[in-house]
Amino acid sequence: MNATATTSALDLDVPGWLRDCLIAASPATEKPVPDDTSLICRAFEFAYQLHEGQYRASGEHYIAHPVAVAGLLRDLGGSSVMIAAGFLHDVVEDTDITVEEIESRFGVEVRRLVEGVTKLSKFNFSSKTERQAENFRRMFLAMAADIRVIVVKLADRLHNMRTLEHLNPEKQRRIALETREIFAPLANRLGIGRFKWELEDLAFKYLEPEAFREMQALVVERRQDREDRLVKVTEILRDRLEGVGVKCIDINGRPKHLYGIYQKMQRQQKGFHEIYDIAAMRLIVQTKEECYRALAIVHDAFRPIPGRFKDYIGLPKPNRYQSLHTGVIGLSGRPIEVQIRTLEMHHVAELGIAAHWKYKESGGSSNTRFTAEDEKLTWLRQLLEWQNDLKDAQEYMDSVKDNLFDDDVYVFTPSGDVVSLSRGATPVDFAYRIHTEVGNHCAGVRVNGQWRVLDSPLHNGDIVEIITQKNSHPSLDWLNFVVTPSARNRIRQWYKRSHREENVARGRELLEKELGKKGFESLLKSDPMQAVAERCNYHTVEDLLAALGYGELTLNIVVNRLREAVKAKQPIETDSQETVTQTPVVKIPSTGGSKGEPIAGVEGLLHHLAGCCNPVPGEPIIGAVTRIRGISIHRQGCPNVESVPGERLVPVSWNPTDADNGRPQTYPVNIQMEVIDRVGVFKDILSRLSDQNINVRNAQVRTQEGKPAIIDLCIDIRDHKQLESSFCQIRKMSDILNMRRISQVEE
């Protein structure tokens, strides 16, 4: 151990617990040093040396920040590995040290924690939706690998928020907003109440400074009166509890945190004087039974307020918070909230996941991977499942935020098992939570013994019995009222599977029209076609055709990748008489010709763009000589060209597009969409087209009860690239079941 570093470190204003560790581990102390103490001291000294000469924005030595983070983790009851990671969490990002060197010095556990926190530090949760969603996915994967990673990150964020006044206002608001939207809800979900409350209040201070100062003044103004009342209530309850033999470990009053009071005022549209639970009494007793006995004593001593009792012991919150909450009329007629819990419950309420680490120690290392059996983190398991279910970034983001912020609803199965669902969940959500097949064959529901409609919201304490029938199947109408992403995704999956043959046939038709009938069947069985399927992440060519028919893939992507696959596998010439079947590939004519004319090859001739297929620049085209209207320009593969004799076909191509008075020329394209019939879906489609600067010439919407809506649009497109981009944006919408470009029979 470096004696010089230890001596220099002791000159700093380090907390007493760290000073004791350093003194105990110094060379002057001849007693053996416990392994835990040794790891903590070595980590501190290593961080102290690496951060030497670095300063924070406040002007203090940088090492003060890792020391504070390690102290917060120690207060949470973190192990020596966590405390060491707290000291080292910034060294990889701020110095030349690698994670491999961290592992060689401090072991694989410390390395994983430091590496995980370093990766989280690079995430930007305020960027555009797609990147934000990807960062959330990575963060939850890191949490699943080792939940301690996010706990170290929360301690890091808390100390940064405590010293936020030294940054410029723009950074203050950005960090505070991220804290309130992401990290405070995470602390709440992990049950770390002391972190959650302080993070919210500090974010409140920088995001709404005027409201924060007003709340501070209101709370301070009435503090003495409130404290006097709480002292009297405490004396009354303590005497009553002792009188019936209930030992009270602790009883005290505390003010609620400022942001919590402010939120309640905003939510209930009430003034400060109208909020009854500005302060709360907390009773800590020995056993669960005594919690309920104490509740009876509280209700006997003070008049209970109807509807203000909540039993979080019988039905714990998702973060495992347990307590009895009741509202009573206290002294002077002022309402007061009373919370009753055991000491163990209190530790869980304050420390959350840190109060019951479930790590398997073996030989100094631990396996801390998240398991499905860990009921304390059910919400995290759901988020991990949704990562595979939800492809649309916006839908995934909405699901994450709903799951982090919203309270759950607790319902019971007929056998008495508790099932937690998102608020507003319906019997269909419940059915899919039980099992996919229960949801797929759901025919009806009884709630508390009474028949209910499937879209009725469930409430706390409901007993839900799903009635299934073998011939029942999901309805697309269910997508209009289910609230859980897992249920919504499983309904869509059933719809895809049940219409597979239809989708495969549609995909074959689209591809055959584009490539031509000649050799088409041989092409489908060829190695290049299988290679295209695998490159598009499908096992078989039939899966690829189904995806094409359903609209998950565009025809352009399939054709382009097929060309690449054929080009990469050219037949080898041999002297044998073996006949090599040529793979039919559409040839795109080379561009050329004079400027000012969009079509090359028809200069000086009467011509027009065919209204059946509406070709656009960038697509392969062919000219067909007509009897009256000159040359008709079609897309290659257009059905109307198939019957035209070869002598009437004219090779043509697109000239480079010229701007006309600063505005590029546009071309009409007809598209048809099959969508989930919900309110606002058409508006959302038009909004995405508007974002692409695409004009809609005309639109027609057809609906039929119980079936998807059909939307026909004619849009103005500059070129094939813009068309593909618009298709890509619209297909990201989860409501789009199918989308295709349509051709008409030319008159």
Side-chain angles (χ1 to χ4, degrees), residues 162-180:
R162 287 177 176 177
T163 56
L164 201 60
E165 71 269 14
H166 302 290
L167 302 182
N168 63 60
E170 183 181 348
K171 282 188 176 181
Q172 287 176 350
R173 285 192 59 81
R174 178 178 61 79
I175 295 173
L177 183 63
E178 185 179 85
T179 297
R180 188 163 76 182

Side-chain angles (χ1 to χ4, degrees), residues 245-281:
V246 174
K247 183 178 179 182
C248 186
I249 297 175
D250 189 24
I251 179 170
N252 60 67
R254 62 170 184 85
K256 289 224 167 185
H257 67 298
L258 298 181
Y259 187 64
I261 301 172
Y262 178 74
Q263 271 189 313
K264 184 162 291 188
M265 290 171 58
Q266 298 298 310
R267 186 168 59 249
Q268 299 179 1
Q269 293 296 300
K270 291 182 178 180
F272 181 80
H273 65 282
E274 297 177 283
I275 303 297
Y276 77 90
D277 54 353
I278 300 299
M281 292 294 305

Side-chain angles (χ1 to χ4, degrees), residues 63-111:
I63 190 63
H65 171 62
V67 168
V69 172
L72 288 169
L73 295 170
R74 178 181 178 274
D75 292 341
L76 281 181
S79 64
S80 58
V81 169
M82 286 185 68
I83 297 171
F87 283 126
L88 301 168
H89 74 275
D90 276 338
V91 298
V92 174
E93 191 171 5
D94 294 344
T95 71
D96 295 330
I97 294 298
T98 64
V99 291
E100 288 76 18
E101 187 169 353
I102 295 289
E103 180 176 345
S104 67
R105 287 174 175 268
F106 304 101
V108 66
E109 270 194 281
V110 176
R111 176 248 173 94

Side-chain angles (χ1 to χ4, degrees), residues 415-429:
S415 60
D417 295 329
V418 179
V419 176
S420 65
L421 297 166
S422 300
R423 188 163 297 279
T426 65
V428 175
D429 294 290

Side-chain angles (χ1 to χ4, degrees), residues 514 613 615 619-622 633-638 641 741 743:
E514 186 71 18
C613 54
E619 294 181 319
I621 52 177
I622 188 81
I633 309 299
H634 296 260
R635 280 191 294 145
Q636 285 192 18
C638 175
V641 181
R741 187 172 171 185
S743 299

Side-chain angles (χ1 to χ4, degrees), residues 514-533:
E514 186 71 18
L515 302 179
K517 293 182 178 180
K518 185 177 180 181
F520 183 72
E521 292 301 324
S522 299
L523 170 66
L524 292 183
K525 300 175 183 178
S526 66
D527 291 341
M529 198 69 197
Q530 179 62 33
V532 172

